[in-house]
Amino acid sequence: MSILLEFAMFPTSDDCRSGNNSSSVGKQVSKIIDMIDNSGVKYQLTPMGTIIEVETIKEALNIVEKAYECLSDCERVYSILKFDIRKNKQNRLKQKIESVKKHLHKDINATN
């Protein structure tokens, strides 16, 4: 089974933002990305969130719980989660992009 989870999590309270009157949350988000990187799961960082691929819902929710723990000192945290669950498939983090390239009959730069 392949579980793709796209999620974003960041503090909305002033107590966890960088500097006075700052809207920057990069420092806090980087704690989450470091945890994901160290977890060993496949992931892709995007400007608007992070996509992980795991084999079970429990694994996905465990990452979400650990992400929240990275921000547990913050008074308020916002998160949005999207799941794509598919049986009998794996490595969809790359395969879904390759499928689009195949249909376009060309290579694409997904970061443009």
Side-chain angles (χ1 to χ4, degrees):
M1 183 180 309
S2 169
I3 310 291
L4 291 179
L5 165 62
E6 180 178 16
F7 78 108
M9 183 179 291
F10 53 88
T12 57
S13 52
D14 291 338
D15 63 321
C16 284
R17 294 189 182 186
S18 300
N20 293 337
N21 297 322
S22 176
S23 60
S24 177
V25 294
K27 181 179 178 182
Q28 301 299 330
V29 171
S30 67
K31 293 178 185 179
I32 295 171
I33 300 306
D34 188 47
M35 176 276 298
I36 293 170
D37 190 58
N38 290 329
S39 76
V41 302
K42 296 178 190 174
Y43 73 97
Q44 180 178 350
L45 178 62
T46 76
M48 298 296 290
T50 303
I51 306 164
I52 65 168
E53 182 173 12
V54 293
E55 294 182 3
T56 68
I57 297 233
K58 283 186 178 186
E59 288 176 282
L61 294 176
N62 185 42
I63 292 291
V64 172
E65 184 176 11
K66 288 180 178 179
Y68 174 71
E69 289 171 3
C70 291
L71 304 181
S72 63
D73 291 341
C74 300
E75 184 178 327
R76 189 172 186 180
V77 174
Y78 175 85
S79 187
I80 186 163
L81 291 81
K82 297 189 299 186
F83 289 91
D84 180 1
I85 302 165
R86 186 159 179 191
K87 295 179 180 178
N88 303 314
K89 288 283 184 174
Q90 291 185 353
N91 200 28
R92 292 189 309 135
L93 201 57
K94 291 183 180 180
Q95 287 179 352
K96 290 177 72 115
I97 294 169
E98 292 302 319
S99 175
V100 171
K101 289 178 183 181
K102 180 181 172 186
H103 289 289
L104 289 173
H105 304 291
K106 66 179 183 178
D107 198 17
I108 59 170
N109 183 353
T111 60
N112 267 351

